[in-house]
Amino acid sequence: MDMQNRIEKYWEGEASRYSEGIWQEVNSFKKLAWSDLLEHYRPAGNPLRVLDIGTGPGFFTLLTAEMGFNVTAVDCSQNMLLEAQKNLEQLGLHAEFLVMDSHTLPFADNTFDLILCRNLTWTLYDPQTAYREWYRVLKRRGRLLVFDANWSLRLHDPERQASYLEDMAEAERRGIHRPGHVDPQEGERIAKDLFLSSRLRPHWDVGALLEVGFKEIFINTNISDKVWNEDDKVVYRSTPLFLVGGEK
């Protein structure tokens, strides 16, 4: 089984668990925090045509649809998209949902004003190709915003692995529940072989975005205080969330 098929199979099994997670975000301060962050970095104009890549259960799709934008949401997992569609319907919102590999998009050049993704790029088997494709479908002055973390760098770095284990021990000591994955062993096997698991980010991304043609780069190496609660900051202390992106 090739890497993309393994990735798709793995995430199909995670859909319902991740869907529960976004409702926790919707019903907390995080919804407004993320909306404010998107509003700050989005390109000018209204309404925008938005592409949410790797939408999962649809959190960014939900936020941008509420902002009045025309949203297309894509994911390689049919189960994730079914959860996303159900979640938007519960709030009376609408978006277009499409199953696809984010490395190869069927859209015409210069289609979208804004491309978003969260916790997706680390799973890509060829992120440089994906960034080139995303640049292609952006309009002139369109923006790409990527939110992610060095989730699997610990698998190649003993010091980071030690910090991760310290975080887990501290979370357990404080009685913080951390939802488990359906198949954590397969998840780690896949992650260890992924390109970005052995690259320090967002430094790698800056070079990649410049190489494909982005003119203005946005970078914030730690946005955790803006969008994470106190439990998140304990569990993910050694893997802060970053923002990296650019304007075409």
Side-chain angles (χ1 to χ4, degrees), residues 18-19 21-28 30-32 34-35 38 50-52 55-73 83-97 116 118:
Y18 273 69
S19 193
I22 74 157
W23 279 108
Q24 293 173 7
E25 293 185 286
V26 167
N27 294 315
S28 75
K30 294 181 181 183
K31 181 183 177 185
L32 180 59
W34 277 108
S35 294
L38 296 181
V50 177
L51 178 62
D52 180 11
T55 186
F59 184 65
F60 274 4
T61 298
L62 184 156
L63 295 185
T64 50
E66 277 198 337
M67 294 165 77
F69 300 154
N70 179 0
V71 188
T72 299
E83 290 289 337
Q85 187 168 11
K86 180 174 66 176
N87 291 334
L88 263 72
E89 287 174 353
Q90 289 187 50
L91 296 175
L93 299 171
H94 172 76
E96 180 182 29
F97 296 96
L116 300 168
R118 181 176 70 155

Side-chain angles (χ1 to χ4, degrees), residues 20-218:
E20 292 173 7
I22 74 157
W23 279 108
Q24 293 173 7
E25 293 185 286
V26 167
N27 294 315
S28 75
F29 80 95
K30 294 181 181 183
K31 181 183 177 185
L32 180 59
W34 277 108
S35 294
D36 287 347
L37 199 59
L38 296 181
E39 184 63 37
H40 179 76
Y41 282 101
R42 76 174 182 90
N46 198 34
L48 301 178
R49 187 163 184 192
V50 177
L51 178 62
D52 180 11
I53 298 182
T55 186
F59 184 65
F60 274 4
T61 298
L62 184 156
L63 295 185
T64 50
E66 277 198 337
M67 294 165 77
F69 300 154
N70 179 0
V71 188
T72 299
V74 304
D75 203 286
C76 69
S77 165
Q78 179 69 59
N79 287 346
M80 287 288 190
L81 290 175
L82 290 173
E83 290 289 337
Q85 187 168 11
K86 180 174 66 176
N87 291 334
L88 263 72
E89 287 174 353
Q90 289 187 50
L91 296 175
L93 299 171
H94 172 76
E96 180 182 29
F97 296 96
L98 301 169
V99 179
M100 67 182 62
D101 179 350
S102 59
H103 297 78
T104 307
L105 304 177
F107 309 112
D109 296 355
N110 310 307
T111 296
F112 297 98
D113 301 291
L114 175 63
I115 296 178
L116 300 168
C117 66
R118 181 176 70 155
N119 296 333
L120 175 278
T121 48
W122 73 273
T123 71
L124 300 177
Y125 63 83
D126 187 352
Q128 187 74 37
T129 292
Y131 278 160
R132 187 173 297 109
E133 184 73 342
W134 302 357
Y135 179 86
R136 179 185 66 79
V137 302
L138 269 178
K139 297 178 183 178
R140 183 174 178 272
R141 298 195 181 279
R143 290 188 173 185
L144 166 68
L145 300 178
V146 172
F147 302 93
D148 213 340
N150 286 290
W151 298 117
S152 300
L153 190 56
R154 65 183 178 84
L155 301 176
H156 296 271
D157 185 330
E159 290 186 8
R160 288 177 180 269
Q161 176 67 7
S163 295
Y164 167 80
L165 293 175
E166 290 172 5
D167 296 346
M168 296 304 99
E170 180 64 15
E172 184 176 358
R173 186 183 71 80
R174 298 191 187 197
I176 298 171
H177 174 64
R178 181 173 181 265
H181 293 278
V182 173
D183 189 347
Q185 291 78 22
E186 174 64 358
E188 287 210 355
R189 285 192 296 269
I190 292 172
K192 191 168 185 178
D193 291 337
L194 291 171
F195 179 85
L196 288 175
S197 294
S198 59
R199 270 73 178 179
L200 182 63
R201 307 178 65 201
H203 306 81
W204 179 88
D205 303 76
V206 171
L209 293 175
L210 289 170
E211 192 276 333
V212 301
F214 284 95
K215 300 298 189 295
E216 181 180 353
I217 301 298
F218 315 106

